Amino acid sequence: MPNTTKMWHVRAALYELLAFSFRYPDTALSQAVVSGEWLDAAKEITEALDLDWECDTYSEKSNDAEAFLHALRAEATYLFIGAPDPAVSPYEGIWRAEDDGVQGLLFVNPHSMDVERFCNACGLGQPEGTNEPLDYVATELELLQYLAMLASGVDVSQTAVSLEDLPGGTPEAAFQQFMDNHVQTWMPRFADKVCEQTRIPFYRNAASLLKCTLS
């Protein structure tokens, strides 16, 4: 895939859509899904990037976004929050602690702390109004979106660090470094498990979109 300005712009749109999909559901997501806008955007992006993505036909498409929002939130709670444990952990540190054969703790594990250091090196900190660890799936996808936007040549006058101070010295290098050292170590497995555990087509589509992005 050529690393042109246009392709980086499309990549930014892809990771924005994925982050939107894996944050806790809100009215905007519900409306986008039931109207078909989410599916249309995903198809347009995957075609532009020549990604091999197979999606389910939406049974959610309807005019009742409010009812679907309740269904989305119930499913997100089952998948990513759980009682007492989620069906699929949305945190890198938990996945990689299991790989290391140790107990996974939020915030205070070496992988989560490394993600926090990487975000700080990119001039980013805790998203306002949240208390999620920065190795949360949607937050890591937002970081990829941010780096892809920088690589696409958007105005960087308001960024907290200069481009040469990013990890690797460029947005492209920082993007690849974070992809190799963090995202690829756990998100393909996360996507597979979401596909396996979810009970609604939307999360199966979002997870399969994530998986084909990382393949």
mmCIF file of all heavy atoms in Angstrom, residues 144-170:
data_model
loop_
_atom_site.group_PDB
_atom_site.id
_atom_site.type_symbol
_atom_site.label_atom_id
_atom_site.label_comp_id
_atom_site.label_asym_id
_atom_site.label_seq_id
_atom_site.Cartn_x
_atom_site.Cartn_y
_atom_site.Cartn_z
ATOM 1 N N LEU A 144 -3.256 5.839 16.715
ATOM 2 C CA LEU A 144 -2.939 5.555 15.322
ATOM 3 C C LEU A 144 -3.596 6.576 14.391
ATOM 4 O O LEU A 144 -2.990 7.018 13.404
ATOM 5 C CB LEU A 144 -3.392 4.144 14.949
ATOM 6 C CG LEU A 144 -2.641 2.983 15.612
ATOM 7 C CD1 LEU A 144 -3.248 1.651 15.167
ATOM 8 C CD2 LEU A 144 -1.152 3.022 15.299
ATOM 9 N N GLN A 145 -4.833 6.959 14.697
ATOM 10 C CA GLN A 145 -5.508 7.992 13.908
ATOM 11 C C GLN A 145 -4.719 9.295 13.938
ATOM 12 O O GLN A 145 -4.498 9.937 12.900
ATOM 13 C CB GLN A 145 -6.918 8.229 14.450
ATOM 14 C CG GLN A 145 -7.644 9.387 13.769
ATOM 15 C CD GLN A 145 -8.798 9.930 14.587
ATOM 16 O OE1 GLN A 145 -9.193 9.328 15.599
ATOM 17 N NE2 GLN A 145 -9.347 11.055 14.172
ATOM 18 N N TYR A 146 -4.282 9.690 15.113
ATOM 19 C CA TYR A 146 -3.537 10.933 15.291
ATOM 20 C C TYR A 146 -2.236 10.910 14.494
ATOM 21 O O TYR A 146 -1.911 11.862 13.772
ATOM 22 C CB TYR A 146 -3.263 11.117 16.785
ATOM 23 C CG TYR A 146 -2.316 12.240 17.137
ATOM 24 C CD1 TYR A 146 -2.736 13.566 17.080
ATOM 25 C CD2 TYR A 146 -1.019 11.967 17.558
ATOM 26 C CE1 TYR A 146 -1.878 14.599 17.422
ATOM 27 C CE2 TYR A 146 -0.160 12.988 17.907
ATOM 28 C CZ TYR A 146 -0.591 14.308 17.838
ATOM 29 O OH TYR A 146 0.265 15.327 18.180
ATOM 30 N N LEU A 147 -1.494 9.811 14.577
ATOM 31 C CA LEU A 147 -0.221 9.723 13.861
ATOM 32 C C LEU A 147 -0.441 9.674 12.356
ATOM 33 O O LEU A 147 0.334 10.255 11.584
ATOM 34 C CB LEU A 147 0.553 8.501 14.331
ATOM 35 C CG LEU A 147 1.046 8.579 15.783
ATOM 36 C CD1 LEU A 147 1.626 7.240 16.228
ATOM 37 C CD2 LEU A 147 2.079 9.692 15.967
ATOM 38 N N ALA A 148 -1.512 8.995 11.917
ATOM 39 C CA ALA A 148 -1.826 8.970 10.488
ATOM 40 C C ALA A 148 -2.209 10.360 9.994
ATOM 41 O O ALA A 148 -1.848 10.758 8.878
ATOM 42 C CB ALA A 148 -2.952 7.974 10.211
ATOM 43 N N MET A 149 -2.925 11.118 10.803
ATOM 44 C CA MET A 149 -3.264 12.492 10.439
ATOM 45 C C MET A 149 -2.010 13.340 10.284
ATOM 46 O O MET A 149 -1.878 14.125 9.337
ATOM 47 C CB MET A 149 -4.196 13.107 11.484
ATOM 48 C CG MET A 149 -5.605 12.572 11.458
ATOM 49 S SD MET A 149 -6.621 13.263 12.800
ATOM 50 C CE MET A 149 -6.551 15.021 12.415
ATOM 51 N N LEU A 150 -1.067 13.185 11.222
ATOM 52 C CA LEU A 150 0.191 13.929 11.112
ATOM 53 C C LEU A 150 0.936 13.523 9.843
ATOM 54 O O LEU A 150 1.492 14.371 9.136
ATOM 55 C CB LEU A 150 1.063 13.681 12.335
ATOM 56 C CG LEU A 150 0.546 14.188 13.683
ATOM 57 C CD1 LEU A 150 1.576 13.923 14.774
ATOM 58 C CD2 LEU A 150 0.210 15.671 13.632
ATOM 59 N N ALA A 151 0.939 12.225 9.529
ATOM 60 C CA ALA A 151 1.625 11.752 8.324
ATOM 61 C C ALA A 151 0.946 12.247 7.054
ATOM 62 O O ALA A 151 1.592 12.379 6.009
ATOM 63 C CB ALA A 151 1.682 10.228 8.327
ATOM 64 N N SER A 152 -0.353 12.539 7.140
ATOM 65 C CA SER A 152 -1.078 13.017 5.959
ATOM 66 C C SER A 152 -0.809 14.481 5.671
ATOM 67 O O SER A 152 -1.254 15.003 4.643
ATOM 68 C CB SER A 152 -2.583 12.793 6.141
ATOM 69 O OG SER A 152 -3.140 13.742 7.047
ATOM 70 N N GLY A 153 -0.103 15.161 6.593
ATOM 71 C CA GLY A 153 0.261 16.549 6.346
ATOM 72 C C GLY A 153 -0.710 17.572 6.888
ATOM 73 O O GLY A 153 -0.686 18.729 6.458
ATOM 74 N N VAL A 154 -1.555 17.197 7.852
ATOM 75 C CA VAL A 154 -2.470 18.176 8.442
ATOM 76 C C VAL A 154 -1.676 19.229 9.207
ATOM 77 O O VAL A 154 -0.510 19.028 9.551
ATOM 78 C CB VAL A 154 -3.484 17.500 9.394
ATOM 79 C CG1 VAL A 154 -4.323 16.498 8.649
ATOM 80 C CG2 VAL A 154 -2.783 16.851 10.568
ATOM 81 N N ASP A 155 -2.315 20.348 9.480
ATOM 82 C CA ASP A 155 -1.667 21.437 10.209
ATOM 83 C C ASP A 155 -1.243 20.945 11.587
ATOM 84 O O ASP A 155 -2.052 20.458 12.373
ATOM 85 C CB ASP A 155 -2.651 22.605 10.347
ATOM 86 C CG ASP A 155 -2.053 23.785 11.102
ATOM 87 O OD1 ASP A 155 -0.818 23.820 11.254
ATOM 88 O OD2 ASP A 155 -2.822 24.653 11.518
ATOM 89 N N VAL A 156 0.027 21.046 11.877
ATOM 90 C CA VAL A 156 0.555 20.549 13.146
ATOM 91 C C VAL A 156 0.963 21.688 14.079
ATOM 92 O O VAL A 156 1.658 21.464 15.065
ATOM 93 C CB VAL A 156 1.764 19.617 12.911
ATOM 94 C CG1 VAL A 156 1.340 18.394 12.132
ATOM 95 C CG2 VAL A 156 2.894 20.349 12.186
ATOM 96 N N SER A 157 0.520 22.891 13.800
ATOM 97 C CA SER A 157 0.955 24.035 14.597
ATOM 98 C C SER A 157 0.484 23.955 16.042
ATOM 99 O O SER A 157 1.081 24.564 16.926
ATOM 100 C CB SER A 157 0.442 25.337 13.958
ATOM 101 O OG SER A 157 -0.980 25.332 13.877
ATOM 102 N N GLN A 158 -0.588 23.185 16.288
ATOM 103 C CA GLN A 158 -1.127 23.093 17.642
ATOM 104 C C GLN A 158 -0.668 21.833 18.378
ATOM 105 O O GLN A 158 -1.103 21.585 19.492
ATOM 106 C CB GLN A 158 -2.665 23.118 17.594
ATOM 107 C CG GLN A 158 -3.251 24.373 16.957
ATOM 108 C CD GLN A 158 -2.816 25.636 17.667
ATOM 109 O OE1 GLN A 158 -2.862 25.715 18.898
ATOM 110 N NE2 GLN A 158 -2.399 26.638 16.911
ATOM 111 N N THR A 159 0.178 21.025 17.758
ATOM 112 C CA THR A 159 0.634 19.814 18.430
ATOM 113 C C THR A 159 1.606 20.163 19.544
ATOM 114 O O THR A 159 2.333 21.152 19.477
ATOM 115 C CB THR A 159 1.311 18.845 17.444
ATOM 116 O OG1 THR A 159 2.394 19.516 16.796
ATOM 117 C CG2 THR A 159 0.308 18.369 16.398
ATOM 118 N N ALA A 160 1.637 19.290 20.572
ATOM 119 C CA ALA A 160 2.452 19.574 21.752
ATOM 120 C C ALA A 160 3.932 19.293 21.517
ATOM 121 O O ALA A 160 4.768 19.786 22.269
ATOM 122 C CB ALA A 160 1.944 18.759 22.938
ATOM 123 N N VAL A 161 4.262 18.500 20.513
ATOM 124 C CA VAL A 161 5.663 18.200 20.206
ATOM 125 C C VAL A 161 5.898 18.423 18.715
ATOM 126 O O VAL A 161 4.975 18.327 17.908
ATOM 127 C CB VAL A 161 6.033 16.746 20.582
ATOM 128 C CG1 VAL A 161 5.899 16.518 22.070
ATOM 129 C CG2 VAL A 161 5.197 15.744 19.803
ATOM 130 N N SER A 162 7.129 18.720 18.360
ATOM 131 C CA SER A 162 7.471 18.857 16.947
ATOM 132 C C SER A 162 7.578 17.474 16.322
ATOM 133 O O SER A 162 7.818 16.472 17.023
ATOM 134 C CB SER A 162 8.782 19.622 16.790
ATOM 135 O OG SER A 162 9.838 18.943 17.449
ATOM 136 N N LEU A 163 7.414 17.395 15.021
ATOM 137 C CA LEU A 163 7.397 16.097 14.353
ATOM 138 C C LEU A 163 8.696 15.339 14.552
ATOM 139 O O LEU A 163 8.696 14.113 14.726
ATOM 140 C CB LEU A 163 7.112 16.278 12.856
ATOM 141 C CG LEU A 163 5.742 16.868 12.493
ATOM 142 C CD1 LEU A 163 5.546 16.826 10.991
ATOM 143 C CD2 LEU A 163 4.614 16.138 13.202
ATOM 144 N N GLU A 164 9.823 16.047 14.541
ATOM 145 C CA GLU A 164 11.104 15.360 14.687
ATOM 146 C C GLU A 164 11.321 14.808 16.093
ATOM 147 O O GLU A 164 12.215 13.976 16.318
ATOM 148 C CB GLU A 164 12.265 16.271 14.304
ATOM 149 C CG GLU A 164 12.347 17.559 15.087
ATOM 150 C CD GLU A 164 11.607 18.705 14.418
ATOM 151 O OE1 GLU A 164 10.672 18.438 13.640
ATOM 152 O OE2 GLU A 164 11.976 19.876 14.670
ATOM 153 N N ASP A 165 10.507 15.274 17.064
ATOM 154 C CA ASP A 165 10.617 14.761 18.427
ATOM 155 C C ASP A 165 9.712 13.557 18.686
ATOM 156 O O ASP A 165 9.723 12.991 19.788
ATOM 157 C CB ASP A 165 10.289 15.867 19.437
ATOM 158 C CG ASP A 165 11.361 16.939 19.480
ATOM 159 O OD1 ASP A 165 12.529 16.605 19.188
ATOM 160 O OD2 ASP A 165 11.043 18.101 19.792
ATOM 161 N N LEU A 166 8.917 13.165 17.689
ATOM 162 C CA LEU A 166 8.093 11.971 17.826
ATOM 163 C C LEU A 166 8.986 10.731 17.894
ATOM 164 O O LEU A 166 10.118 10.753 17.407
ATOM 165 C CB LEU A 166 7.152 11.839 16.623
ATOM 166 C CG LEU A 166 6.023 12.865 16.500
ATOM 167 C CD1 LEU A 166 5.369 12.736 15.129
ATOM 168 C CD2 LEU A 166 4.986 12.661 17.598
ATOM 169 N N PRO A 167 8.530 9.647 18.496
ATOM 170 C CA PRO A 167 9.319 8.406 18.476
ATOM 171 C C PRO A 167 9.695 8.037 17.042
ATOM 172 O O PRO A 167 8.836 7.994 16.162
ATOM 173 C CB PRO A 167 8.365 7.372 19.090
ATOM 174 C CG PRO A 167 7.470 8.182 19.980
ATOM 175 C CD PRO A 167 7.268 9.483 19.267
ATOM 176 N N GLY A 168 10.965 7.815 16.796
ATOM 177 C CA GLY A 168 11.428 7.498 15.455
ATOM 178 C C GLY A 168 11.715 8.704 14.597
ATOM 179 O O GLY A 168 12.271 8.576 13.510
ATOM 180 N N GLY A 169 11.292 9.891 15.050
ATOM 181 C CA GLY A 169 11.628 11.116 14.349
ATOM 182 C C GLY A 169 10.663 11.579 13.279
ATOM 183 O O GLY A 169 10.803 12.692 12.747
ATOM 184 N N THR A 170 9.646 10.772 12.947
ATOM 185 C CA THR A 170 8.617 11.159 11.971
ATOM 186 C C THR A 170 7.291 10.534 12.379
ATOM 187 O O THR A 170 7.267 9.519 13.093
ATOM 188 C CB THR A 170 8.954 10.676 10.542
ATOM 189 O OG1 THR A 170 8.897 9.237 10.498
ATOM 190 C CG2 THR A 170 10.328 11.170 10.084
#
